[in-house]
Amino acid sequence: MAGVVKAPGAFAITPHKVSVCILVNIYASPSQISVPFPFSSVSQHNRLGLYLLALTKSCDDILEPKLDQLINQLREVGGLLDHWLTDHVTSRLSSLSSPDDLFNFFNELRETLGGPDSGVMEDDQVILDPNSNLGMFLRRCILAFNLLTFEGICHLLTNIGIYCKEAILSCSSYELRRVDDSGNDLESLSEYENMDLNLVFKKINEEMEARKRATEQVSFHLHLPKELSTLVEDIEVFADPKSEHNDKGRESSSYASGELLRDVDPNGGVFLRTNWQIQGYLMEQADAIEKHGSSFTLNAFELTLRLLQKLAPELHRVHFLRYLNNLYHDDYFSALENLHRYFDYSAGTEGFDFVPPAGCNSFGRYEIALLCLGMMHFHFGHPKKALEVLTEAVRVAQQHSNDTCLAYTLAAICSLLSEIGFSTTSGILGSPFSPMISVGTSLSVQQQLFVLLKGSLKRAESLKLKQLVAANHLAMAKFDLTHVQRPLLSFGPKTSMKLRTCPIIVCKELRSGYHLISEFCCEGSTMTADGAFSTAWLKNLQKPMGSLVLSQDNGSRNNSNPFLFFTQPSSIPGSVMQLVGSSYLHRATAWEIYGSAPLARVNALVYATCFADASSSSDAALVHVKLIQHLAVFKGYKEAFAALKTAEEKFLCVSKSRILILKLQLLHERALHRGHLKLAQQVCDELGVLASSVTAVDMELKTEASLRHARTLLTAKQFSQAAAVAHSLFCMCYKFNLQVESATVLLLLAEIHMKSGNAVVGLPYALASLSYCQTFNLDLLRASATLTLAELWLSLGSNHAKTALTLLHGAFPMILGHGGLELCARAYITEAKCYLSDPSFLVSRNPELVLDPLRQAADELQALEHHELMAEAFYLMAIVFDKLGQPEQREEAASSFKNHVMSLDHPHDVEDPIQSDTLLNA
């Protein structure tokens, strides 16, 4: 294919634009008063106008639609007028058989536009405002036609003839019938048959080839427009038979390539859409790549980009889309190569919405390239390289006075330090021009992160970057959730302060971000909002229910749905919707940490219900993980695995995906509850393999794998090995300041020492965990720590039974109100043990005080298949029935105990409750 050279900034007139001009002339006919002919109501008239607006702004493809596609859309929009509209468009196109016809047609279009004296008209007369979107479109078309040479006009006539022929061939079932009914149309189309179109095409094509060889470069520029009223250009490309023949074998091997090349005809032309629409299309595809991640089609979209680059070789943003496509498909080398290509060819001045700062040099955007490179290293798990590159980006942005890029780079550094743990950043953030050089590098990583977050928020507010301000508020809420704010200075007067997190501050930050997002503004071009809305509007026309959205008065068809016309998607940008959804995800996470399971579930459901369409694949998977985990904890594994099966069908279970990790977690928990230790150890090994070997990467996954390994060893009664693994895990959590995980590991150490018979050694660990929980407001984990502390006191002997019971009753409201099935069952069993261990308690006087919690525990453990705890509950029931002199109930409970013991892989490891001194004394 050969590209037709156009002057920079030109707006080429094409057959599709001529068709749209015909429709605009119908919509705003200057000779009509009130409602123009053929419309029967103002509603019909306005709906055609909305369709024309969407048609000139949609960005669902890189190529202009063919006539048959336009006719299909008119059938959906026109209602009773669909036949008249299609006939008028086709007949008017077929009547353009000479340059004089084209000249007269564009002269008629001038009358459609309102001029300086347009105020002198009838009250109800329809005049198109020249500064409106449709008025600007007509003005550009008229200007483009006036700039055409005679050869260019002949060339346009040739393309119009081919444009009509292709529609007849592809829509023969409909169009031939209309042609048979119209002698004028048949006569006009016969004129096209008699025209020597190939001669005209050959002459112009040879001329363009000679011009291309002379210049050796196609002058084509598709840079992002600053305003909607900026003149944009079209590229007009004609098929070269030789080039098409050479590429046919390579590009026809895929369905996607066939779709792309369906309009390529050796005797016809291929027309790209306007610059504005192509840029909107690429932005939509970038959003789709981010949303779908690795499930986005790699090869099909690569063919689209290859065709676009072939038609428009100077459209450098194609390289950036290739970079994104390879990035989310984890192709490191291809992503790096395309990123370098993009910034080498375009110098970073194309494809970004950054507002150029005042006085910025014209040597490109090196700082933006560094920002993208740093985020790429972050994505591929290279934290040190990412931090080094982002620090360099800060230095370059400061030198070039690019405050906007500096604000985004600081936000990226904050995200990096927040997501990936660093024990120290000395030598990286302490370099010249570093954002931390003003406060020194003696601060801890958490203090550095706090300073960076404050600085990034302040800078974003000063630049009025509302979306970045909202994102920084969410980041501050996440920081305040798990960090205690301490004074940065270690000298001077000390003021008394409570070293605790503050949930009120977290909620305030979340609310601040939400309110800022509600007053959204797109910080760049309005292309994304308008283009996406128009594209969605046109796509909805193809739905079955939308076939008669404009014909409310048509009673001959039963599938009309006029309401669908008014239920088009929201025009709020996708990035804004993602930030709104992120606020609900942060709320769900906050309530999970604080221990309110109902509120966490409600916020997760709000996100899944309201923001699923705008969310990225990772966020959508995360909310599914939260809801499935809630089912496993509160409903049992049967419902959890049923929901997991649905999630697996929706999300790809690729390596390190959240759904795959969740599946391994559920399998491990169920294996431990059933006593299948070999399977549990295999699942632990799988989790360990998924964790990256790079330090500080996948800290959450590494912690999860080590924690489950320790629990597996604990279930297998290998206490010394379990304690060693847990101790090593606590050291790692303390090193990287993982506060919530530290509290969990301390509680696990207390449980290990308790089950190994060293309750005295386990008490300090339980108290330390309790202190962590109080500091960070981990209410549910605090209740669990209190339960473990009560079990430790009970293990010290019967004299401490009342102390343990007092502690347990203090934690009961939180456990029963927000705890899961296993935690509640443990509390019930511990309560029964406390009563049975108390020397002053007589079972015969109040047996239901012991039997009721044991029955409740057995019922709740049934859904979890927790054989070990169920065996313990039934054994305690057998003891109570034995003391009450009820042999039948005792034998029944003993039989249930034996069944659950035999279900375990390690029945000999189950500690016989009746052998303990505490229960013998009861």
Side-chain angles (χ1 to χ4, degrees):
M1 299 180 186
V4 176
V5 180
K6 295 291 178 183
F11 182 87
I13 189 70
T14 61
H16 171 71
K17 293 186 179 66
V18 174
S19 300
V20 177
C21 288
I22 294 173
L23 290 173
V24 173
N25 195 25
I26 297 173
Y27 169 72
S29 179
S31 61
Q32 300 296 329
I33 296 180
S34 186
V35 180
F37 176 81
F39 303 102
S40 59
S41 65
V42 176
S43 177
Q44 277 187 343
H45 182 243
N46 290 340
R47 289 165 189 167
L48 180 61
L50 290 177
Y51 166 70
L52 291 175
L53 282 175
L55 193 63
T56 56
K57 288 185 176 183
S58 64
C59 47
D60 57 333
D61 198 0
I62 61 175
L63 304 177
E64 287 186 343
K66 295 296 183 179
L67 181 58
D68 58 322
Q69 299 171 354
L70 183 67
I71 290 174
N72 290 333
Q73 291 178 352
L74 285 176
R75 291 173 186 171
E76 302 294 336
V77 173
L80 287 175
L81 301 176
D82 59 347
H83 297 319
W84 189 93
L85 289 174
T86 55
D87 286 347
H88 185 81
V89 171
T90 54
S91 62
R92 191 64 191 271
L93 284 173
S94 62
S95 67
L96 301 175
S97 58
S98 67
D100 290 338
D101 294 334
L102 281 175
F103 183 78
N104 295 332
F105 171 72
F106 281 97
N107 275 340
E108 293 177 8
L109 292 181
R110 294 176 182 272
E111 301 177 3
T112 306
L113 295 171
D117 55 346
S118 59
V120 184
M121 60 180 184
E122 300 294 336
D123 293 339
D124 295 334
Q125 188 174 1
V126 178
I127 292 293
L128 198 61
D129 186 358
N131 296 321
S132 64
N133 288 315
L134 294 181
M136 291 293 296
F137 177 82
L138 280 187
R139 289 167 60 188
R140 292 170 188 164
C141 291
I142 294 172
L143 177 60
F145 177 78
N146 291 336
L147 294 177
L148 288 178
T149 62
F150 179 76
E151 292 178 348
I153 295 176
C154 294
H155 194 67
L156 178 60
L157 284 173
T158 302
N159 291 330
I160 292 176
I162 299 172
Y163 181 70
C164 295
K165 286 183 180 179
E166 291 177 348
I168 294 175
L169 293 176
S170 59
C171 302
S172 58
S173 61
Y174 175 80
E175 287 299 328
L176 289 179
R177 178 177 55 85
R178 306 301 303 167
V179 171
D180 292 339
D181 294 341
S182 175
N184 294 332
D185 290 350
L186 183 59
E187 182 180 355
S188 300
L189 291 174
S190 298
E191 294 179 5
Y192 282 115
E193 295 292 343
N194 297 326
M195 290 177 63
D196 193 359
L197 300 178
N198 293 329
L199 181 62
V200 178
F201 169 77
K202 182 178 180 181
K203 179 181 178 181
I204 295 177
N205 193 34
E206 291 177 354
E207 191 174 305
M208 298 311 301
E209 288 291 337
R211 187 183 304 176
K212 181 179 180 182
R213 286 193 300 269
T215 58
E216 294 184 354
Q217 183 179 5
V218 178
S219 176
F220 177 76
H221 302 278
L222 275 179
H223 297 302
L224 190 66
K226 297 301 181 183
E227 299 177 359
L228 290 177
S229 59
T230 304
L231 290 178
V232 293
E233 66 182 65
D234 251 3
I235 184 70
E236 189 173 331
V237 180
F238 294 89
D240 185 0
K242 295 181 180 180
S243 175
E244 212 275 335
H245 175 74
N246 293 334
D247 294 336
K248 183 177 181 181
R250 175 172 52 87
E251 292 184 343
S252 62
S253 59
S254 170
Y255 170 78
S257 62
E259 286 295 314
L260 289 173
L261 299 176
R262 68 188 185 279
D263 300 320
V264 179
D265 189 345
N267 298 320
V270 178
F271 304 100
L272 284 176
R273 294 196 175 189
T274 62
N275 177 13
W276 190 90
Q277 290 175 305
I278 291 178
Q279 293 286 358
Y281 169 79
L282 294 179
M283 293 177 69
E284 276 197 346
Q285 297 306 304
D287 292 339
I289 292 173
E290 181 184 3
K291 177 180 178 181
H292 299 291
S294 59
S295 61
F296 191 83
T297 55
L298 174 65
N299 296 328
F301 186 57
E302 180 66 23
L303 289 174
T304 304
L305 295 178
R306 190 180 304 170
L307 177 64
L308 182 56
Q309 187 179 17
K310 192 172 186 179
L311 299 178
E314 291 191 8
L315 183 59
H316 305 309
R317 197 178 179 185
V318 171
H319 297 296
F320 188 77
L321 268 293
R322 281 181 172 174
Y323 152 73
L324 288 179
N325 201 18
N326 291 308
L327 176 72
Y328 282 93
H329 285 86
D330 295 330
D331 190 345
Y332 173 80
F333 296 103
S334 297
L336 184 62
E337 179 184 2
N338 284 286
L339 182 64
H340 283 209
R341 282 183 179 179
Y342 171 72
F343 283 99
D344 288 342
Y345 293 156
S346 69
T349 58
E350 178 191 63
F352 284 92
D353 293 332
F354 290 133
V355 180
C360 182
N361 60 58
S362 59
F363 297 103
R365 299 291 174 79
Y366 180 50
E367 60 272 22
I368 300 179
L370 290 172
L371 174 59
C372 292
L373 182 61
M375 296 308 295
M376 189 194 74
H377 284 304
F378 182 19
H379 177 84
F380 283 110
H382 309 151
K384 290 186 178 180
K385 287 185 178 180
L387 196 55
E388 291 174 357
V389 173
L390 291 176
T391 304
E392 178 69 11
V394 170
R395 182 186 68 81
V396 177
Q398 288 175 339
Q399 287 183 341
H400 293 172
S401 300
N402 194 338
D403 293 333
T404 304
C405 182
L406 180 59
Y408 279 96
T409 306
L410 291 177
I413 293 176
C414 294
S415 178
L416 176 62
L417 294 178
S418 176
E419 294 293 334
I420 297 179
F422 284 91
S423 58
T424 178
T425 57
S426 60
I428 302 177
L429 292 180
S431 58
F433 299 98
S434 167
M436 297 304 302
I437 196 66
S438 58
V439 296
T441 56
S442 60
L443 302 177
S444 66
V445 177
Q446 288 69 38
Q447 290 173 325
Q448 293 180 28
L449 176 59
F450 177 73
V451 173
L452 285 173
L453 282 172
K454 286 292 186 182
S456 178
L457 179 59
K458 184 177 179 180
R459 188 175 297 274
E461 288 176 343
S462 64
L463 295 174
K464 297 182 179 179
L465 303 175
K466 290 189 176 181
Q467 295 186 33
L468 187 57
V469 170
N472 281 328
H473 275 295
L474 296 180
M476 284 296 302
K478 185 178 180 180
F479 178 85
D480 292 331
L481 184 63
T482 56
H483 293 84
V484 178
Q485 296 185 11
R486 293 182 173 87
L488 297 178
L489 301 177
S490 58
F491 56 89
K494 298 293 190 299
T495 58
S496 60
M497 60 180 299
K498 295 181 179 180
L499 294 178
R500 296 186 61 177
T501 60
C502 185
I504 296 178
I505 296 179
V506 176
C507 294
K508 182 180 178 181
E509 293 289 350
L510 290 174
R511 285 179 175 270
S512 299
Y514 179 79
H515 288 309
L516 282 171
I517 295 171
S518 63
E519 301 174 359
F520 74 92
C521 68
C522 192
E523 293 159 6
S525 171
T526 57
M527 175 190 311
T528 303
D530 292 346
F533 181 78
S534 300
T535 301
W537 196 93
L538 288 179
K539 285 182 177 179
N540 276 0
L541 294 178
Q542 302 174 5
K543 296 181 179 180
M545 294 179 62
S547 59
L548 280 177
V549 294
L550 298 184
S551 56
Q552 299 183 23
D553 52 347
N554 187 359
S556 61
R557 302 183 187 180
N558 297 324
N559 59 346
S560 62
N561 187 6
F563 180 73
L564 183 62
F565 182 87
F566 301 99
T567 58
Q568 300 296 337
S570 171
S571 60
I572 300 176
S575 59
V576 175
M577 295 295 290
Q578 285 187 9
L579 281 175
V580 177
S582 296
S583 67
Y584 283 97
L585 273 182
H586 280 76
R587 292 181 185 183
T589 303
W591 287 119
E592 280 182 359
I593 293 177
Y594 291 146
S596 179
L599 289 176
R601 179 174 176 269
V602 165
N603 283 277
L605 286 174
V606 169
Y607 181 88
T609 304
C610 302
F611 304 99
D613 294 335
S615 64
S616 63
S617 57
S618 60
D619 288 344
L622 176 60
V623 76
H624 279 76
V625 166
K626 291 181 180 294
L627 294 173
I628 294 173
Q629 285 176 338
H630 186 275
L631 284 176
V633 172
F634 290 91
K635 298 294 183 180
Y637 295 119
K638 184 177 180 180
E639 296 190 18
F641 277 105
L644 179 64
K645 184 178 180 181
T646 304
E648 283 180 327
E649 295 174 355
K650 186 174 183 180
F651 302 97
L652 293 176
C653 268
V654 295
S655 176
K656 294 187 181 180
S657 69
R658 296 183 184 273
I659 301 299
L660 177 59
I661 294 173
L662 172 65
K663 183 177 182 179
L664 293 176
Q665 290 173 343
L666 294 180
L667 288 174
H668 180 262
E669 291 173 2
R670 188 173 67 172
L672 285 185
H673 291 167
R674 289 179 172 181
H676 302 164
L677 297 183
K678 292 183 180 180
L679 176 60
Q681 187 58 49
Q682 289 177 0
V683 175
C684 283
D685 295 339
E686 290 289 338
L687 285 172
V689 170
L690 291 179
S692 173
S693 59
V694 181
T695 305
V697 178
D698 295 337
M699 292 302 300
E700 182 180 354
L701 186 55
K702 290 178 179 178
T703 305
E704 181 74 13
S706 298
L707 192 64
R708 292 187 177 276
H709 184 205
R711 289 196 177 277
T712 304
L713 294 174
L714 174 61
T715 306
K717 309 299 181 182
Q718 300 178 14
F719 301 115
S720 59
Q721 297 181 22
V725 173
H727 184 269
S728 176
L729 177 59
F730 176 77
C731 292
M732 184 185 71
C733 294
Y734 183 81
K735 178 181 180 180
F736 293 102
N737 201 40
L738 305 176
Q739 309 292 356
V740 179
E741 291 80 359
S742 297
T744 304
V745 175
L746 286 172
L747 194 58
L748 176 60
L749 283 168
E751 186 178 351
I752 291 173
H753 289 292
M754 176 184 66
K755 292 189 176 181
S756 65
N758 298 321
V760 176
V761 181
L763 279 173
Y765 291 106
L767 292 174
S769 177
L770 200 59
S771 177
Y772 267 90
C773 295
Q774 291 175 346
T775 301
F776 296 99
N777 294 283
L778 311 176
D779 293 342
L780 186 59
L781 190 59
R782 179 184 176 183
S784 180
T786 304
L787 173 59
T788 303
L789 188 61
E791 292 174 340
L792 287 167
W793 279 110
L794 187 61
S795 300
L796 294 176
S798 60
N799 295 331
H800 303 283
K802 291 185 178 179
T803 303
L805 190 60
T806 302
L807 289 171
L808 183 61
H809 284 170
F812 253 2
M814 189 66 191
I815 292 175
L816 300 182
H818 299 275
L821 297 177
E822 182 179 0
L823 186 61
C824 292
R826 279 183 55 202
Y828 286 133
I829 292 174
T830 304
E831 183 186 24
K833 284 183 178 180
C834 289
Y835 284 123
L836 293 176
S837 301
D838 188 0
S840 62
F841 178 78
L842 296 177
V843 177
S844 58
R845 290 185 178 179
N846 196 355
E848 296 302 323
L849 198 61
V850 179
L851 291 176
D852 284 345
L854 291 176
R855 292 192 185 103
Q856 187 71 24
D859 292 340
E860 295 188 350
L861 291 171
Q862 190 69 36
L864 294 177
E865 305 175 43
H866 202 315
H867 296 304
E868 186 173 349
L869 282 181
M870 291 181 70
E872 186 175 3
F874 282 114
Y875 200 94
L876 292 175
M877 287 184 191
I879 293 176
V880 174
F881 288 131
D882 183 68
K883 291 181 177 293
L884 295 176
Q886 300 177 4
E888 293 182 359
Q889 289 84 349
R890 180 194 64 191
E891 292 300 327
E892 183 180 355
S895 176
S896 299
F897 163 74
K898 292 178 181 179
N899 291 334
H900 287 292
V901 169
M902 295 307 298
S903 298
L904 299 171
D905 282 350
H906 55 293
H908 58 280
D909 290 334
V910 179
E911 186 174 334
D912 195 342
I914 205 169
Q915 297 299 323
S916 63
D917 295 337
T918 302
L919 292 179
L920 286 176
N921 293 332

